[in-house]
């Protein structure tokens, strides 16, 4: 599903130059569940944004579903992103003046899904994350963990083949976080590829594989799995 | 330091009525370290906002440093808040067009501290949270955990007598989170009262006492402390 080679992202120039990613290479097969871990500031969100086609690398290659993304432009880039990828942002990126339901409907609007079906699927997604009774609230009327779950619902309402989640349980208590992990396991069992950036070892432990990012470089972590 | 009685916060009316806090009562002595835990949506941020004088209760009483806060208005309210309380927001609330350093200087601007000393203390606070080399970056140029640490630095630069922190380690890896906990322990050893909302059991374990919030009500949790 994913193949990156020498992926590099550099911000700024001269004194303010920051190599957020300094040549990252790995492959992820369709249907895998990979956790990405590493210290604060190490480059995880930068990497996930590149994988999610939200940003372009300074150097290096990224092939998604066998196709080099460098060739994707404009409408085709947007369509590829919309059809294949569900993205959960570290800071949620919800529209503050839209309700939880209309926020979750947004990917379906882009996909041209009719209104009644959009509404039904959005309410179903909110129910999956335990927020059926908050569908009419706007983000400022939601707790931090509720906003995070709306962002998760929005990421999966379009039935993407790949879910990229940037610290999806950071604002959740362990019980609510466990519900989200069970949801992820269900998606993965149904064939969805999962790439989850996390600081939570419980979340990393559920993945089949752990990639560690340190100072903009990637390392495969040997996981000794308890049986 | 803190005494609350029957603290209540109700949002909305009729069908959209939400009792975020339904009568919370407890006391916290000066110099205590209290963790506030509970499920997502249970009322923790609502409670912390009331304690931080960022909002007014619908009903109930709140005495801060022996004085009923209901009587505080306008400039006196702002001054009390500025002098006594450092607040770390769950969503950081940084100014996106200001640098990390000028964001951290803000409480000192309100306190009338001269420019050179403001700068020195802001850089010192950023160094304490491991961000000396990010002082000139603006929030969009910082990682999630870096933004969270800038919010922490801003909360303690004014040397408050009480630090209220809403999930201060949610975006931090365990090593960086441990550094922040050591910093909190240092502040507490120096007499600062700490009230920390957290979903992280490691963070809760460092506190001397745990208050649990569930459905807008508070419960004292009996902690069996390992010796
Ligand atoms: N302005 C508002 N209008 C309506 N309901 C609100 C408003 N603000 C908060 N709420 C509701 O009040 C409840 C408590 O919210 P609060 O932010 O205190 O929860 P929390 O315990 O901090 O949750 P989390 O752990 O997810 O951050 C939530 O169910 C939320 O939906
Ligand atoms: N626009 C930018 N300009 C300059 N530097 C940037 C910019 N965006 C990010 N950085 C820097 O790049 C590095 C990597 O950032 P990134 O957000 O990928 O980290 P992260 O691993 O997700 O961290 P966290 O765990 O704290 O979320 C950080 O040191 C950050 O300061
Ligand atoms: Mg990040
Ligand atoms: Mg909260």
């Amino acid at each position: 599903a994913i193949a990156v080679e020498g992926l590099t992202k550099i911000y700024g120039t001269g004194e303010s130059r920051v190599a957020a990613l300094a040549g990252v290479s790995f492959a992820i097969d369709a249907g895998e569940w990979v956790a990405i871990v590493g210290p604060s500031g190490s480059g995880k969100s930068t990497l996930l944004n590149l994988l999610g086609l939200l940003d372009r690398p300074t150097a290096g290659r990224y092939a998604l579903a066998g196709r080099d993304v460098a060739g994707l432009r404009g409408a085709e880039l947007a369509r590829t992103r919309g059809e294949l990828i569900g993205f959960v942002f570290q800071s949620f990126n919800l529209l503050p003046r839209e309700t939880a339901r209309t926020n979750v409907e947004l990917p379906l609007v882009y996909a041209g899904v009719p209104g009644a079906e959009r509404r039904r699927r959005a309410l179903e997604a909110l129910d999956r994350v335990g927020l059926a009774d908050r569908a009419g609230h706007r983000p400022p009327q939601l707790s931090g963990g509720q906003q995070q779950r709306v962002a998760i619902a929005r990421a999966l309402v379009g039935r993407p083949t790949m879910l990229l989640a940037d610290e999806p349980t950071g604002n959740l208590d362990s019980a609510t976080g466990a519900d989200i992990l069970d949801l992820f396991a269900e998606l993965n069992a149904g064939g969805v590829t999962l790439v989850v950036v996390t600081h939570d070892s419980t979340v990393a432990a559920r993945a089949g594989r752990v990639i560690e990012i340190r100072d903009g470089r990637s390392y495969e972590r040997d996981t000794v799995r308890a049986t």
Side-chain angles (χ1 to χ4, degrees), chain A:
Chain A
I2 284 176
V4 299
E5 201 185 329
L7 211 58
T8 301
K9 184 71 185 181
I10 297 176
Y11 294 111
T13 55
E15 247 194 52
S16 68
R17 186 183 186 278
V18 174
L21 284 183
V24 166
S25 305
F26 57 75
I28 295 176
D29 297 331
E32 271 200 88
W33 183 344
V34 179
I36 297 183
V37 304
S40 172
S42 57
K44 306 178 298 297
S45 294
T46 301
L47 173 60
L48 214 67
N49 286 344
L50 294 177
L51 295 182
L53 302 178
L54 298 164
D55 198 6
R56 289 186 180 281
T58 310
R61 275 200 300 277
Y62 171 27
L64 172 64
R67 175 177 181 174
D68 191 330
V69 306
L72 292 174
R73 290 274 182 284
E76 194 186 13
L77 175 66
R79 199 180 61 241
T80 305
R81 195 167 53 213
E83 285 175 12
L84 297 186
I85 301 167
F87 201 102
V88 185
F89 293 87
Q90 187 169 5
S91 55
F92 320 152
N93 293 12
L94 300 179
L95 300 175
R97 282 185 259 178
E98 294 294 321
T99 64
R101 194 197 92 224
T102 54
N103 261 285
V104 173
E105 283 188 24
L106 215 54
L108 303 181
V109 172
Y110 289 139
V113 176
E117 185 185 346
R118 279 207 314 266
R119 181 189 172 101
R120 184 186 61 76
R121 284 170 60 177
L123 292 174
E124 184 179 16
L126 283 170
D127 187 51
R128 292 308 313 287
V129 297
L131 292 178
D133 62 351
R134 287 287 182 276
H137 283 229
R138 290 172 174 72
Q141 301 170 321
L142 295 172
S143 78
Q146 290 169 344
Q147 292 176 29
Q148 187 159 42
R149 284 181 277 159
V150 173
I152 292 169
R154 182 183 61 186
L156 45 92
V157 74
R159 292 171 198 146
T161 56
M162 182 164 80
L163 183 71
L164 305 180
D166 202 342
E167 308 200 30
T169 63
N171 284 280
L172 302 178
D173 55 285
S174 49
T176 311
D179 293 340
I180 293 304
L181 281 184
D182 289 345
L183 170 58
F184 283 8
E186 203 173 305
L187 292 170
N188 189 239
V192 178
T193 309
L194 300 185
V195 183
V196 181
V197 170
T198 185
H199 285 309
D200 189 333
S201 53
T202 323
V203 175
R206 291 286 286 268
R209 174 180 163 205
V210 179
I211 294 174
E212 192 170 334
I213 307 295
R214 255 180 286 135
D215 296 318
R217 292 191 158 81
S218 61
Y219 304 84
E220 289 288 335
R221 196 193 266 186
D222 292 325
T223 36
V224 180
R225 303 193 52 87
T227 40

